[in-house]
Amino acid sequence: MDRLKGKTALVTGASRGIGRAIALELAREGARVAVNYASNDAKAKEVVQEIEALKGSGLAVKADLGNAQEARAMVKSVAEQFGHLDILVNNAGITKDSMLAKMTDQQWVDVIQTNLNGCFFCTSAAIPFMSAQSYGRIVNIASLNGQVGAMGQANYSASKGGVIAFTRTAALELARFGITVNVVAPGYTDTDMFAAVPQAIQAQIRAKIPAGRFAHPEEIAKAVLFLVADGDYLTGQQINVNGGA
Ligand code: NAP
């Protein structure tokens, strides 16, 4: 408890799923947390209420991360409202699955724009605030499927592989400013995103996971907490939270 007291955090895509669990985990440790979301006002408000129920302080911030101006303005506004920005978790992500032969340009562009470009927009906007205070913790949420590929996910796999490569260079460039940049790569996790996968395919996937089950969002959040609370000398690394997959 209170390992993040005095710290501020922005978690993108925190109205639901993994982002929500990360926001709550950071709040439980005393951080003030901005909950970014795209459209679901009610769910984002609920997360802020859950943070307040933990005696924490939360802020809902709507912005489409695929829009460079909105994303950058959101980061700046959070840093200014909190007075400083210590932790950025680039979690927001979408899927638009299709076999490559049928994938439209729009499906490709939308997924790269949110998952990879959005990560760049938020990170670059956070750098001036973090470097000025010689402290920052950035965690990018990638995916098992950015490491191994997955049928129907050429756009998603490319975006998440890009996030991993982006993280390595960001870590090299930002270490001198006291900013660490790491990846948490979840395996299949029980959220709305994964619920969209047909049951028969879910069963096939589950059968290949050594742990025999999907991850709970809270298990991904614990890895993020480790990196931001205890990872002072850890940068440019990946933690794979995938049940052995
Ligand atoms: P989810 O349940 O679908 O939630 C997605 C979150 O992202 C929501 O808060 C949504 O906001 C927000 N979002 C979507 N597009 C956005 C945009 N353009 N701008 C701002 N926010 C946006 O997803 P999840 O399963 O928790 O996934 C979270 C992250 O983990 C993603 O990066 C995903 O790729 C990664 N991941 C997930 C799994 C899995 O199996 N679930 C596995 C590996 C990696 P609204 O509520 O407003 O729509």
Side-chain angles (χ1 to χ4, degrees), residues 12-20 22 36-41 43-44 61-67 70 74 90-95 110 113-115 141-145 156 159-160 184-195 217 220:
T12 69
S15 50
R16 295 182 280 124
I18 293 171
R20 169 185 168 274
I22 294 168
N36 160 255
Y37 65 105
S39 58
N40 203 328
D41 302 302
K43 286 281 175 195
V61 279
K62 185 174 187 171
D64 172 8
L65 302 187
N67 178 317
E70 266 187 48
M74 186 262 303
N90 287 306
N91 164 79
I94 58 168
T95 52
D110 286 350
Q113 188 67 11
T114 300
N115 298 8
I141 305 301
S143 172
L144 170 66
N145 290 349
Y156 183 80
S159 74
K160 295 300 185 176
V184 169
Y188 295 93
T189 308
D190 207 359
T191 67
D192 293 347
M193 177 183 278
F194 190 50
I220 315 302

Side-chain angles (χ1 to χ4, degrees), residues 221-238:
K222 294 235 178 282
V224 173
L225 175 65
F226 166 67
L227 287 169
V228 303
D230 295 318
D232 292 349
Y233 199 58
L234 253 167
T235 196
Q237 304 303 309
Q238 285 175 64

